[in-house]
Amino acid sequence: MANDIFMRLEVEVVIFTVVEHATLQKLSGLGLISPEPELLGDSAGLSLFVVTLQGEGDRILPGDAILPDESIERAARRIAHERLGISLKSKLRALKAFDDPKRGNDQRVISFPFWGMVNFEDLKQYLGGRDRVGLELVSSQAVMADFDAKAGLEKYDGVSRFGYRVMPNTKLGIPHAKHLTSEIASGRILANDHDDMVFYSWRELRHAFASKLDPFNYLSINPLGDEFRISDLQEFQEVCRGEIVSRDAFRRTMMKEESYLRKTMQIDSSASRPGKPANLYSLAQPPVGDDSSS
């Protein structure tokens, strides 16, 4: 006779955001940023984070069981609202199902993760609280510099604290292979298999910056504001992809007529930004939200 199987269907939500270093410094000491801002380096730029909650022991992703009367995407939006306070208007994309038979303790758990990105300005008011809503670093200039110092960044097809992929080398017989936190010295960051959910979500996030694709429309957010420097956009791409791109090649691509940018008549000469005064740009079309969020 077959054993009875008690199954739980749930959704985890992987929500990314990018934050300026100066903003992180203001949150230092509150226990909401991991690692603490002083360990992120002294760069004045952006860092990529994933939103986490305090679990019974380690930090976890927001998640819950799927209700009988809701779709899995509706469950993802409900969970973001109930656990984080966020009413998501940005697009959510589904990952593969996580169905390892060892996931649950006393019952079989099958999870359907969704991922998306939010502007930090829409998130910051919900940090802290009962569940200690916080941010876990995914990638930054300091993370990339550390990989570069150890092995050379050109050997990797994107790096992050949640894993990385090694570029293939046919001469040395090295395949194009991924490495998760369960396989690297730094070890696991979040509880359960949530590290893997963040890793695979991050790998899909990188697609937003592929070819001539408009990343703002793909993600349905604009974290850079109404006007920004080309260098701001390059840094946004670099921390999201976990790799450095050529400055000159990037500028040439963005200056093409079919680019999703338009040049404004404004110049940024603020003392808070390094370098010479620079032209400011804006989006030719604002990003479009997801109608299914209503």
Side-chain angles (χ1 to χ4, degrees), residues 53 80 104 113 153 167 176 186 203 205 211-212 221 233 246 249 291:
L53 305 175
L153 202 56
M167 293 291 288
H176 195 178
S186 56
R203 294 302 299 186
L205 167 65
S211 187
K212 301 175 182 178
I221 68 163
L233 178 58
S246 165
D291 292 338

Side-chain angles (χ1 to χ4, degrees), residues 44-63:
L46 295 171
S47 296
L48 177 70
F49 288 88
V50 64
V51 183
T52 64
L53 305 175
Q54 183 60 55
E56 294 181 1
D58 296 329
R59 302 287 294 182
I60 60 174
L61 294 171

Side-chain angles (χ1 to χ4, degrees), residues 52 71 83 155 195:
T52 64
S71 67
R83 301 301 303 275
K155 294 183 180 180
D195 280 17

